[in-house]
Amino acid sequence: MNRALLSRLLPDAEPERLTVREGQFHRVVVGPDRVVCLPRTEAAAARLPHRAAVLRLLAGFDLGFRTPRPLLEGGARDADGPPFLVLSRVPGASLEAGALEDPRFAEAAAAQYVTLLAELARVGAEERVRAALPAPRDRWRRFAADVRAEVFGLMSDGGRRRAERELAALGGLPSVTSAVVHGDLGPENVLWERDGGLPVLGGVIDWDEVTIGDPAEDLAAVGAGYGGGFLDRVLRLGGWPDGTLATRIAVIRATFALQQALSALRDGDEEQLADGLAGYR
């Protein structure tokens, strides 16, 4: 940790009150009113300018929830030190374990997830958003080919057979590019406040993997993070008419570990690579 850099970027923060969080792409230092993102790899550092641009774009929309706003950037060519991105701190906290066991609490949270996803779909229709986040062509076909070419050599024979089944299922997915997809909409990235004991969506953080794509990707993350019961609540309240949605969610969710492994391999992150491949070795 670069203490001199943090002292400059968080001048009013008491060191002992800073919180450090380790993500797949960044080490995040949380101060009282701002956070500092320090990339863990050179590849993550190279993506910082694009990440800042996307966050500025999102901040220009009234989404009904907060997103981090870029405050200060420093790149690899910055004479003052290593690359970093300083963001505004989004208030709130992740839902605590067991909170969704209360049906009234769970229903309120699910309704707000529906609103969140509806807002991402609305913004995904904006021309300037689609220009900044072009929908990847043949995304799943290219993903499957890349996993086979780059990751299969690290797997056992049984692991490759499992991965092949998961990748083959991707081949049957329709091409859906209707919404902004956060890409990691699990519990740790959705922050809540309380009003009368019920949850109020405060904001969404960690937009590293944002793209234009299929809302089933974010719904798959909801199911993975909170369980099938909560996902069922969200689907019921959302009333999505598409009969293929449940299948798309299941197929995409089954590839999460492969997605992690491929990203980690390309970023040179051995820890995340080993975690992603744990079920394939």
Side-chain angles (χ1 to χ4, degrees), residues 119-157:
E119 286 299 299
L120 294 184
R122 176 181 68 84
V123 172
E126 294 280 345
E127 289 186 10
R128 58 189 171 122
V129 174
R130 297 185 75 86
L133 298 170
R137 297 182 61 183
D138 299 324
R139 176 182 176 188
W140 296 122
R141 180 188 61 79
R142 290 189 293 106
F143 169 73
D146 290 345
V147 169
R148 292 184 179 106
E150 301 177 43
V151 186
F152 265 29
L154 304 175
M155 298 178 180
S156 67
D157 290 343

Side-chain angles (χ1 to χ4, degrees), residues 56-225:
R56 281 192 290 268
L57 179 64
L58 291 172
F61 291 93
D62 182 11
L63 295 172
F65 56 86
R66 298 180 181 91
T67 58
R69 292 180 292 103
L71 303 176
L72 185 64
E73 300 171 53
R77 292 170 292 183
D78 182 24
D80 293 327
F84 63 83
L85 178 61
V86 181
L87 303 171
S88 62
R89 179 176 178 177
V90 175
S94 302
L95 294 180
E96 60 271 23
L100 296 178
E101 294 176 5
D102 179 344
R104 183 165 166 260
F105 190 99
E107 194 80 354
Q112 290 175 79
Y113 255 107
V114 171
T115 300
L116 188 167
L117 290 164
E119 286 299 299
L120 294 184
R122 176 181 68 84
V123 172
E126 294 280 345
E127 289 186 10
R128 58 189 171 122
V129 174
R130 297 185 75 86
L133 298 170
R137 297 182 61 183
D138 299 324
R139 176 182 176 188
W140 296 122
R141 180 188 61 79
R142 290 189 293 106
F143 169 73
D146 290 345
V147 169
R148 292 184 179 106
E150 301 177 43
V151 186
F152 265 29
L154 304 175
M155 298 178 180
S156 67
D157 290 343
R160 282 190 290 273
R161 287 192 293 270
R162 171 188 167 183
E164 191 58 62
R165 291 192 297 270
E166 293 163 351
L167 296 176
L170 282 178
L173 293 183
S175 177
V176 179
T177 57
S178 59
V180 168
V181 172
H182 177 276
D184 190 10
L185 207 57
E188 66 279 3
N189 292 328
V190 181
L191 305 182
W192 304 81
E193 299 174 294
R194 294 293 186 98
D195 182 12
L198 291 178
V200 176
L201 179 61
V204 179
I205 60 174
D206 192 359
W207 293 81
D208 282 0
E209 300 179 72
V210 63
T211 187
I212 295 291
D214 187 344
E217 298 179 52
D218 281 338
L219 287 163
V222 171

